[in-house]
């Protein structure tokens, strides 16, 4: 009897251990669904109040209407986030064949997103720069201090666009040979442009616009639920995070180094052709 009881306690101990299988497997299936929902919530919380405020300003005639490319970019990014959610739901519910078929859409959405971003950043900059230099006196006065901030934000936009493309490329390339890298890197890639939503949450403590370090910290916090679960589940740091950090951190350091430097402002203006 003692041996039977002992083995029973041993089995219960194994079940309570998150590195085991019986308790962990349901979370394995749904952690990525939760991450997709979490990312969508971050985007909604960041962009919805900001967009409503700016729409009201446009209706009041205090700023020009949004350019078409802004709407295109918003639709593409929303579609990508919904695709990410759908893909995780398919895997969680065992529809892996459908997951692979639908995943082909990423090969269309990702290039479209990158191109839209390349058009959107200079479009928004030129809209503000034009108002600061050629608008009515009140508009010029309001926008003059904004232009240097937008020149700094160009650093974040350029780095986010490049990193997103690089990480998505790694994820898609690994889809057949390293599914663990593929699924994690899809989320790590998506986390990079979340900074645009996070920076719009003015109620969060932030280092902006003086420095971008807080944005990087919030991006790291955004991916932390997935990272912590992986660490607890596998008792090691998955190689996807190692690759991501090895690329992301040096780029973030370069952005911080260039931030608000006179030579960067001069370079940004040359880049924008103003």
């Amino acid at each position: 009897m003692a041996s039977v009881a002992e083995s029973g306690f041993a089995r219960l101990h194994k079940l309570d251990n998150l590195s085991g299988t019986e308790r962990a497997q349901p979370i394995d299936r749904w952690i990525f669904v939760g991450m997709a929902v979490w990312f969508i919530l971050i985007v909604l919380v960041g962009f919805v109040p900001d967009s409503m405020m700016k729409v009201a300003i446009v209706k009041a005639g205090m700023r020009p209407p949004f350019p078409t490319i802004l709407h295109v970019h918003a639709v593409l990014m929303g579609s990508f986030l919904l695709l990410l959610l759908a893909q995780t739901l398919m895997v969680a519910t065992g529809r892996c064949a459908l997951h692979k078929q639908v995943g082909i859409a990423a090969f269309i959405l990702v290039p479209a997103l990158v191109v839209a971003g390349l058009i959107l950043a200079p479009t928004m900059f030129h809209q503000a720069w034009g108002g600061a230099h050629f608008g009515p006196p009140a508009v010029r006065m309001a926008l003059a201090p904004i232009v240097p901030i937008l020149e700094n934000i160009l650093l974040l936009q350029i780095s986010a666009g490049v990193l997103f493309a690089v990480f998505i490329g790694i994820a898609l390339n690994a889809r057949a040979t390293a599914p663990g890298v593929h699924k994690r890197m899809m989320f790590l890639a998506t986390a990079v442009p979340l900074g645009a939503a996070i920076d719009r949450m003015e109620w969060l403590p932030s280092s902006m616009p003086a420095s971008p370090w807080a944005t990087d910290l919030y991006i790291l916090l955004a991916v932390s639920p997935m990272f912590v679960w992986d660490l607890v589940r596998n008792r090691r740091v998955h190689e996807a995070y190692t690759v991501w950090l090895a690329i992301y951190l040096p780029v973030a350091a370069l952005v911080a180094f260039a931030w608000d430097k006179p030579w960067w402002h001069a370079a940004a203006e040359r880049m924008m052709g103003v």
Side-chain angles (χ1 to χ4, degrees), residues 61-83:
M62 299 173 64
R63 65 168 291 166
F66 298 124
T68 302
I69 189 61
L70 180 64
H71 300 295
V72 172
H73 185 270
V75 169
L76 289 172
M77 194 68 214
S79 300
F80 180 81
L81 287 169
L82 291 176
L83 175 64

Side-chain angles (χ1 to χ4, degrees), residues 27 31 178 212:
I27 306 179
I31 181 66

Side-chain angles (χ1 to χ4, degrees), residues 11 14-29 233:
R11 183 174 179 275
K14 182 179 180 181
L15 290 176
D16 286 338
N17 188 341
L18 286 176
S19 64
T21 58
E22 295 184 44
R23 290 185 66 202
Q25 281 178 347
I27 306 179
D28 284 339
R29 290 198 303 271
R233 178 73 168 93

Side-chain angles (χ1 to χ4, degrees), residues 125-136 139-141 143-144 147 151 269 274:
F125 177 85
H126 281 106
Q127 190 178 74
W129 189 90
H133 288 80
F134 305 111
V139 173
R140 292 202 303 268
M141 186 179 298
L143 290 179
V147 172
E151 290 171 354
E269 291 174 3
V274 298

Side-chain angles (χ1 to χ4, degrees), residues 162-206:
V162 171
L163 289 174
F164 177 75
V166 168
F167 293 137
I168 287 289
I170 294 172
L172 295 178
N173 187 61
R175 68 191 188 281
T177 56
V181 172
H182 166 71
K183 63 183 179 181
R184 289 168 178 84
M185 196 60 75
M186 288 297 296
F187 282 92
L188 294 171
T190 307
V192 175
L194 289 182
I198 293 168
D199 288 339
R200 284 167 168 79
M201 301 179 195
E202 296 183 354
W203 43 270
L204 283 177
S206 178

